Amino acid sequence: MTDVLLPLAVVVPIVAATLPLALGLRYDRVGWPIAAVGTTAVAGIAAAIAAEVVLNGPFAHALGGFLPPVGIELVADRLSVAVLLLVAAVSVATLAFARVAGPRGNPFYSAYLLLVGGLVGMTLTGDMFNLFVFLEITGLTTYALIASDRSGASAYASLKYLVVGTVGASLYLLGVGYAFLATGTLNMLDLQAQIVAQAGYGDPLVRASYAFIVAGLALKIALFPVHSWQPDAYQRAPDSVTTVVAALVSTTSAYALIRVTYTVFTVEFLAANEGIATALLVVSTVSILAGSVLAAMQSNLKRMFAYSSVAQFGMIGAAVALANETALLGGIVHLVGHGVMKFGLFLGIGLLALGYGSREIGDLASAARAAPYTSGALAVLGLGLVGIPPSIGFLGKWYIGVGAVDAGLAGGGAIGIAVAAAIFVSTLFTLSYVARLIERFYFAGGGLPGDHGDAASGSANNAAVDVGRASDDAAADGGRASDDAATDGGRAGDDAATDGGERSGARTADGLPAPVEGAPRSSIVPDRVPTASLLALALAALATVALGFGGFALAEWFDPFLTEVFA
């Protein structure tokens, strides 16, 4: 009866999503408790599914008792369980942050639960059309959540994502239609068998099917050059929404790309269609370089790490196209590691914005003095993103790079070596913008005696005019003017040119980032951030390092899937 856990993992959040709206007709604040219980239940079910897979191997459930290939099947194996655990952990932790940072309201919590249900469904489904259904559930709820703060900028970002996401889903569905025409089935495992038995890897319908599916998922993943929705969506969404979207939405789409490529079309299809594999490899390589360069050019923290995701998912796309065991292992490890790191990075960015109003790199001078634990966790996560060992970021990049070199030496031509070179160059660009972040945290003086960087201009405080707050450094912080305490209560004004109306970081008399009015307080640490969310951030930083030490364990965990794929 353990197979009933699979439908429960999908049904629980989707059914729970109806309750905040239904009960909200009578109770105003019922949404958060329901969402907390729902996501916690999903986490418990995910843990039970993982235990069953470890003890007894992969298992499946036929919905409604209709056996595949006619019925819809849910499947759990080592790969899907890893992504399922990521979805469960991030959804619980982000919900705790959303309770403090917002948005609030029963409709938000309903959409949040529906998003979790869609992500779980994408992870567990064994049916191509069912994957499309969950892809749409995920997409529609993401569009709504991005616009949930009801600002004009977030509405525009949501509309942009809606248009691009609809095109991506349509291309995916078109590809599924071609696969059905070629084989007469939609079950993933049966489709794998029927491609060989009825059509063959060279069949035009099969080739067109894979091409459309990859194009559709590339839009969802945000590979260059179809990435333009992502920076706007990440920047303009509420901070809690950005955290869950950045960690999970593109991650599950990349998981779907791996699943469809290797479970449905198989490595033999890629070997028989080198042109398709090469095209995906070229696009992914360009995405690695373009995303890294664009990230290094940003000053807004959200946009910087949004472009970083374009580069990181380019590495995963390259791992898929290289079609060797080492590279695919690296792609899977990097998929999970990237989800953990981006959850932590965007959570940390959200905490600094919540506590100190800091959203630009220029606002972070001496942030490590005001918020040492938040800054330290962000520094660890940033170095993990660079790929500094021992971190999960290093492990994933290493496996992908070694796989790329192996592919090049085995007769794959210069493209394999080019992928390895692109990863190296990308790492240097990543180091450049992460180093900027760490430099602002720890080495930009912010006007403190004996410091450098901002000391000359930042130390000239005028207590009579500025009520003890340091004036902004116009040379270093993009020409922002200090606020007039008589008219603005000493708060930093908005920088409309660069920050879309968002509050820039104010300063105390000592030149440290000033807490915003009503910022959370903790009796444990000096950081003006919520204690529960800070704990989640610290756990993400620890997981980034701990998973880096688990190289052999991760290889052993995914070995059954890789052995099946490359048997």
Side-chain angles (χ1 to χ4, degrees), residues 216-463:
L217 292 176
L219 282 160
K220 294 287 188 178
I221 296 169
L223 293 180
F224 186 89
V226 290
H227 68 288
S228 59
W229 62 268
Q230 193 174 69
D232 287 342
Y234 284 16
Q235 181 185 5
R236 302 305 181 185
D239 292 331
S240 58
V241 173
T242 303
T243 300
V244 70
V245 170
L248 297 180
V249 173
S250 290
T251 298
T252 51
S253 296
Y255 159 81
L257 176 63
I258 295 172
R259 178 64 73 186
V260 169
T261 300
Y262 287 97
T263 298
V264 177
F265 289 90
T266 73
V267 67
E268 287 81 8
F269 171 83
L270 294 177
N273 294 275
E274 291 185 2
I276 294 177
T278 300
L280 177 57
L281 205 54
V282 169
V283 169
S284 298
T285 303
V286 173
S287 189
I288 294 170
L289 296 173
S292 300
V293 172
L294 290 169
M297 297 169 61
Q298 305 305 310
S299 61
N300 182 276
L301 294 169
K302 281 188 172 184
R303 292 188 74 86
M304 175 189 295
F305 288 111
Y307 280 115
S308 167
S309 292
V310 175
Q312 304 302 317
F313 283 116
M315 296 179 194
I316 296 169
V320 172
L322 285 167
N324 67 49
E325 189 169 349
T326 304
L328 183 57
L329 173 61
I332 295 171
V333 169
H334 203 57
L335 179 75
V336 176
H338 180 263
V340 172
M341 290 186 290
K342 281 301 166 68
F343 160 72
L345 286 166
F346 280 101
L347 175 60
I349 291 169
L351 290 176
L352 289 177
L354 177 67
Y356 302 92
S358 302
R359 296 186 179 275
E360 303 280 323
I361 285 186
D363 299 332
L364 298 178
S366 296
R369 292 186 174 94
Y373 292 93
T374 305
S375 301
L378 278 171
V380 171
L381 289 160
L383 293 174
L385 191 68
V386 174
I388 302 297
S391 69
I392 188 68
F394 167 77
L395 204 61
K397 289 182 180 182
W398 175 262
Y399 281 135
I400 297 171
V402 171
V405 172
D406 287 346
L409 297 178
I415 188 66
I417 306 299
V419 170
I423 293 173
F424 176 75
V425 172
S426 170
T427 299
L428 296 180
F429 275 106
T430 307
L431 178 61
S432 71
Y433 57 79
V434 170
R436 286 169 59 203
L437 186 68
I438 295 175
E439 188 273 337
R440 297 301 294 176
F441 279 157
Y442 293 98
F443 304 108
L448 295 179
D451 284 324
H452 65 280
D454 295 339
S457 56
S459 61
N461 299 320
N462 187 336

Side-chain angles (χ1 to χ4, degrees), residues 157-233:
S158 177
L159 180 61
K160 186 175 183 179
Y161 185 19
L162 170 64
V163 173
V164 175
T166 301
V167 173
S170 300
L171 291 173
Y172 173 86
L173 184 60
L174 188 59
V176 172
Y178 278 131
F180 182 76
L181 286 175
T183 63
T185 184
L186 292 171
N187 179 269
M188 289 184 181
L189 290 177
D190 191 51
L191 191 56
Q192 177 193 118
Q194 295 305 319
I195 286 176
V196 177
Q198 295 190 34
Y201 296 128
D203 186 278
L205 285 176
V206 174
R207 289 178 172 177
S209 171
Y210 184 72
F212 278 116
I213 288 172
V214 169
L217 292 176
L219 282 160
K220 294 287 188 178
I221 296 169
L223 293 180
F224 186 89
V226 290
H227 68 288
S228 59
W229 62 268
Q230 193 174 69
D232 287 342

